[in-house]
Amino acid sequence: MSVVTKFNIDHTAIASPSGGSQLVTFVIEETNDRWPVISRLVSIRGAVDLAETFFSDEEIRTAEWLRLISTFEQGYPQPKMDWPLKQSSRELLCAKCVTYKQIAPMRVAKEPHMGKKSFMSLIWENEIFCTPEVFRGLEEIQAKGYEEWDVLIHKTGQISEKVRQLFIPAIAGLGVLVEDDLNRTTCPTCGTTKYYPHVKGAMRIKREALIPDTDFLLTNEWFGHGLLAWREILISSRIAKLILDKKWSGVRFKVVDVV
Ligand SMILES: [Zn+2]
């Protein structure tokens, strides 16, 4: 019996892109009475233990820049079988570490069921999709630095009516100040460093890395491991406030310290 079943812990299980194994994740508060036992099991079995930080609305509203993080994943990018190696939406910068440039619309298996959510992403990737209402809100405040891209239903090639991609063209300069204890891998083929997900505390970024006069940026740095690779999404304070004010869901924020 797995630990999560035994202790009756809410969890998600996702198959890895290469198949064969499952990534089981769960969130537990350090104040939970099961935490001491689980914490021991995590260390005995060498499981990855990621401390996560949640920021208050006040911290979010007063931060100059934030990371935008999807909390609503709906299905896999298509064609799923060849992900991420053979994709019309991506030009790979390196076939080994799968860093990429998006060159065409993303494809999904079917129209997503958004329910009350305004944002979504797909499993394995970090591109962000939103409802038409979000794009209207962005237009109203004259947000800068994003493009509205079609999302295609894979089998038919039809354009999704439920969501469009919030495409972010601008990439910040190098400037994320990564903590020494954040694991990383350097690609033997191209030399690109990929960092493990940054989950502890605020991400620090040098001001000189930020491009002025925009509300959206991608980090220059890559994150992920194996066949996962993404750049973090950075948004300005006014975008975070808009999302909070409108009570749009499907994303959360993490404070970025500009230094
Ligand atoms: Zn590489």
Side-chain angles (χ1 to χ4, degrees):
M1 191 189 285
S2 71
V3 171
V4 282
T5 318
K6 185 173 167 194
F7 288 92
N8 192 25
I9 296 165
D10 276 346
H11 63 280
T12 56
I14 294 171
S16 70
S18 50
S21 60
Q22 273 202 331
L23 176 68
V24 174
T25 56
F26 60 89
V27 174
I28 185 166
E29 306 256 339
E30 288 178 359
T31 49
N32 190 305
D33 56 7
R34 290 170 294 183
W35 172 242
V37 177
I38 288 165
S39 148
R40 265 194 55 227
L41 287 170
V42 163
S43 92
I44 289 166
R45 298 194 182 183
V48 179
D49 176 20
L50 300 171
E52 180 59 286
T53 310
F54 293 90
F55 294 92
S56 69
D57 276 9
E58 196 194 331
E59 287 172 307
I60 291 164
R61 284 179 182 276
T62 50
E64 187 185 355
W65 281 87
L66 303 106
R67 283 154 69 196
L68 183 68
I69 297 166
S70 169
T71 56
F72 185 56
E73 289 184 330
Q74 281 283 290
Y76 293 86
Q78 303 293 324
K80 181 184 170 191
M81 212 179 85
D82 302 318
W83 183 267
L85 298 173
K86 291 182 202 153
Q87 299 290 319
S88 59
S89 63
R90 294 181 167 196
E91 183 184 294
L92 291 181
L93 302 176
C94 170
K96 176 85 180 164
C97 61
V98 299
T99 49
Y100 65 93
K101 182 178 165 206
Q102 189 181 344
I103 51 168
M106 301 274 307
R107 307 178 82 91
V108 296
K110 55 178 190 206
E111 276 288 10
H113 295 292
M114 295 301 285
K116 291 196 166 106
K117 298 285 196 297
S118 302
F119 293 87
M120 63 161 265
S121 62
L122 301 170
I123 296 164
W124 298 337
E125 51 85 66
N126 199 41
E127 272 64 40
I128 198 116
F129 303 82
C130 18
T131 59
E133 186 195 3
V134 172
F135 285 107
R136 283 199 299 275
L138 292 174
E139 276 165 34
E140 274 166 27
I141 66 161
Q142 297 182 321
K144 290 180 200 158
Y146 71 97
E147 292 170 15
E148 207 176 322
W149 279 34
D150 290 338
V151 174
L152 303 178
I153 312 295
H154 185 49
K155 284 217 172 91
T156 62
Q158 281 180 322
I159 297 170
S160 167
E161 293 172 2
K162 300 273 179 68
V163 289
R164 291 167 72 74
Q165 185 186 343
L166 180 74
F167 180 84
I168 301 167
I171 297 168
L174 280 169
V176 173
L177 297 167
V178 182
E179 290 77 9
D180 292 341
D181 63 352
L182 184 63
N183 282 333
R184 65 203 69 186
T185 52
T186 300
C187 176
T189 304
C190 72
T192 300
T193 297
K194 277 202 301 200
Y195 298 97
Y196 277 46
H198 186 289
V199 292
K200 233 170 28 178
M203 181 181 272
R204 293 188 307 146
I205 189 164
K206 287 188 205 163
R207 185 171 298 279
E208 66 205 47
L210 301 172
I211 297 167
D213 207 27
T214 186
D215 292 302
F216 294 93
L217 285 171
L218 295 176
T219 59
N220 197 296
E221 289 77 4
W222 288 93
F223 295 82
H225 39 78
L227 289 178
L228 299 177
W230 69 86
R231 298 181 192 270
E232 290 288 337
I233 299 171
L234 306 177
I235 58 164
S236 71
S237 170
R238 66 189 197 122
I239 302 300
K241 285 179 194 155
L242 173 74
I243 296 170
L244 287 177
D245 288 346
K246 299 275 191 184
K247 299 189 166 54
W248 288 331
S249 64
V251 281
R252 66 190 185 90
F253 311 96
K254 295 190 82 166
V255 168
V256 171
D257 280 340
V258 181
V259 297

